Amino acid sequence: MKRLDDFRMQMGRHELVPIMVGGMGVDISSADLALETARLGGVGHISDAMIKTVTDRRYKTKYVKAKQALYKLNVELEDKSAVKFNLGHLAEATRLHVEATMTRKQGSGLVFINCMEKLTMNAPKETLKVRMSAALDAGIEGITLAAGLHLGSFALIEDHPRFRDAKLGIIVSSLRALQLFLKKNARLNRLPDYVVVEGPLAGGHLGFGMDWAQYDLATIVAEIMQWMKAEQLDIPVIPAGGIFTGTDAVRFMEMGAAGVQVATRFTVTKECGLPDDVKQEYFKADEDDIEVNQISPTGYPMRMIKSSPGIGDGIRPNCEAYGYLLDAQGKCAYITAYNREVAANPEARRIKVMDKTCLCTHMRNFDIWTCGQLTWRLKDTTLRDAEGHYQLLSAEHVFKDYQFSSDNQVLLPAQNA
């Protein structure tokens, strides 16, 4: 029986172990996780989600405090259109995180950054251009465009000197989305270097409606690869979502995939940026503890553990400090929902907002536990001590289990001393 190690992913001149670890924000896909993946010969991601918060936490900068102080008089106002990001600070924060990561890089793998289009930041084009350009300036080896169609994203950096040098990839969930992207960008004469096809079992924001269960990753991948062959397009296809074992990965490799993207099993590794107590919640989750809901202000369905403390919390919008989901008019669906509940409950000291969440604040605090559909299987990948705590895994252990396992097996770790 074949193992994932029997295949290699070709990306330009790079021959890689065909494992890409997805870019989970906010700082869940930490630099440590990305670097360990690259050391082992795969592709690791950092995320630029709430990049100023990440640099404040990791490198002791004060970007969030400075923004909050600048706009403190706007806190009580519903209109957030005045709350703008300092583009110079945004570029500095991005460069700092990328440079600090890349200077530590070892091994033959690659380190990419995940950029979310839905982080509109009250100036969608301007902020996205700065984020991508600064990452390229700082030496990132590739950019994965996520959480949106990104029809205009390539054009934002077409004048950058590394536009044709760095690896640029997109995430899609349908053939139609890929076709739209390629048509829109045809004039640039610049194809994506890879396409991640994310299926309905993935974690976080989904590229499907609430009818997600009607779709199947293998079917979508086959349709895309068949169309690419007919169009004579040679773009590496990387399936993602619900690939839990090396054997799952091999099935896609035998279909002709270039590699696979995985993430769920790395959420409970020591290198992952989640707090250790939250990792225990991931281990403990059962199948019926996982839900897809519509509380994200982005409008995308989102998969998470339904006991996440951020669900139903009525915290005041924190846009003056964060504001990453403000649209071009300074609006966010959570602000609307929050003010509706305040108006309906004028005497309440604390309100609940059930239909939306302040995603910035709660993701920053690790209170929205986004996850893949198969998170409930994590408990079967490790050992449990007498007190009921699950043993955290190393990223190397999980990576090599994908790489070398066969027959649908999952290798358990050695017992901690």
Side-chain angles (χ1 to χ4, degrees):
M1 181 172 289
K2 285 189 174 181
R3 305 176 302 174
L4 194 52
D5 192 55
D6 294 323
F7 302 86
R8 285 295 178 267
M9 177 164 61
Q10 198 70 39
M11 199 167 287
R13 60 183 175 83
H14 299 278
E15 186 175 275
L16 304 155
V17 178
I19 298 173
M20 178 180 280
V21 177
M24 301 172 281
V26 174
D27 205 29
I28 297 173
S29 284
S30 66
D32 288 344
L33 179 54
L35 289 168
E36 187 66 353
T37 303
R39 182 185 71 81
L40 294 165
V43 179
H45 276 92
I46 54 176
S47 169
D48 79 341
M50 297 185 69
I51 191 69
K52 291 184 176 183
T53 295
V54 173
T55 55
D56 283 358
R57 180 181 290 147
R58 295 287 180 179
Y59 314 114
K60 310 306 178 187
T61 53
K62 304 291 183 184
Y63 293 119
V64 173
K65 187 176 181 180
K67 183 170 181 276
Q68 191 170 31
L70 182 63
Y71 294 111
K72 63 181 179 181
L73 297 180
N74 201 83
V75 169
E76 300 296 335
L77 301 181
E78 184 174 352
D79 181 3
K80 306 296 183 184
S81 58
V83 181
K84 301 289 186 181
F85 280 82
N86 181 307
L87 297 182
H89 289 173
L90 182 59
E92 288 174 12
T94 303
R95 281 195 294 266
L96 178 57
H97 188 38
V98 173
E99 287 176 353
T101 302
M102 298 309 296
T103 55
R104 296 166 52 202
K105 181 176 175 279
Q106 298 178 339
S108 60
L110 300 173
V111 175
F112 292 176
I113 192 167
N114 182 284
C115 289
M116 295 175 62
E117 185 187 38
K118 282 297 181 181
L119 296 182
T120 41
M121 299 167 69
N122 211 345
K125 289 184 179 180
E126 295 82 357
T127 53
L128 183 57
K129 180 176 181 176
V130 166
R131 287 153 53 200
M132 293 192 295
S133 297
L136 292 172
D137 291 343
I140 201 70
E141 291 170 308
I143 298 176
T144 299
L145 301 171
L149 277 178
H150 283 278
L151 297 182
S153 295
F154 272 26
L156 295 176
I157 52 172
E158 64 176 310
D159 295 329
H160 195 282
R162 295 193 60 212
F163 178 57
R164 298 185 186 279
D165 162 50
K167 303 303 177 191
L168 302 178
I170 60 172
I171 296 180
V172 300
S173 293
S174 68
L175 173 58
R176 177 62 176 158
L178 175 61
Q179 291 170 331
L180 285 171
F181 180 89
L182 295 177
K183 182 178 180 180
K184 179 71 174 180
N185 289 275
R187 71 162 186 85
L188 298 175
N189 193 29
R190 170 62 162 97
L191 290 172
D193 294 292
Y194 56 96
V195 174
V196 177
V197 181
E198 194 170 82
L201 304 185
H205 289 103
L206 302 181
F208 302 87
M210 292 303 287
D211 61 346
W212 59 269
Q214 299 178 22
Y215 296 89
D216 171 68
L217 175 61
T219 302
I220 300 167
V221 168
E223 183 182 21
I224 286 176
M225 291 200 299
Q226 183 179 11
W227 180 80
M228 280 191 180
K229 184 178 181 181
E231 296 294 317
Q232 297 184 316
L233 291 173
D234 186 19
I235 307 172
V237 173
I238 303 172
I243 301 170
F244 200 79
T245 68
T247 305
D248 294 336
V250 165
R251 292 190 186 105
F252 284 105
M253 300 303 293
E254 290 178 332
M255 286 176 61
V260 295
Q261 179 169 286
V262 291
T264 293
R265 287 187 59 190
F266 288 90
T267 59
V268 290
T269 61
K270 298 168 187 174
E271 292 84 354
C272 173
L274 285 171
D276 286 354
D277 60 336
V278 176
K279 293 172 187 176
Q280 293 297 318
E281 298 297 328
Y282 279 58
F283 276 127
K284 289 189 289 186
D286 292 322
E287 189 170 5
D288 60 1
D289 292 324
I290 297 163
E291 69 176 21
V292 175
N293 59 41
Q294 295 179 292
I295 67 170
S296 171
T298 66
Y300 279 73
M302 199 173 184
R303 178 173 280 115
M304 62 190 68
I305 298 174
K306 64 185 180 184
S307 57
S308 299
I311 299 177
D313 188 80
I315 190 171
R316 185 177 66 190
N318 211 354
C319 306
E320 286 67 34
Y322 307 125
Y324 285 82
L325 293 179
L326 293 174
D327 66 17
Q329 288 75 47
K331 297 184 183 299
C332 170
Y334 178 73
I335 299 173
T336 302
Y338 173 82
N339 284 296
R340 179 199 68 219
E341 293 303 320
V342 168
N345 301 278
E347 305 300 323
R349 295 183 61 186
R350 181 88 178 184
I351 62 167
K352 281 187 171 290
V353 180
M354 299 304 299
D355 55 320
K356 296 297 172 188
T357 189
C358 186
L359 199 58
C360 291
T361 300
H362 291 312
M363 288 297 291
R364 183 262 178 208
N365 294 336
F366 301 109
D367 284 339
I368 294 290
W369 301 333
T370 59
C371 66
Q373 181 64 30
L374 300 183
T375 293
W376 61 274
R377 292 178 61 182
L378 288 174
K379 60 177 63 66
D380 298 325
T381 68
T382 193
L383 304 172
R384 199 175 186 185
D385 66 22
E387 285 74 41
H389 293 99
Y390 292 91
Q391 183 173 315
L392 298 183
L393 306 167
S394 71
E396 180 176 14
H397 171 87
V398 177
F399 188 97
K400 288 186 173 179
D401 186 45
Y402 271 112
Q403 186 177 0
F404 296 112
S405 66
S406 62
D407 198 27
N408 293 301
Q409 296 299 306
V410 171
L411 179 67
L412 295 177
Q415 181 76 54
N416 278 345

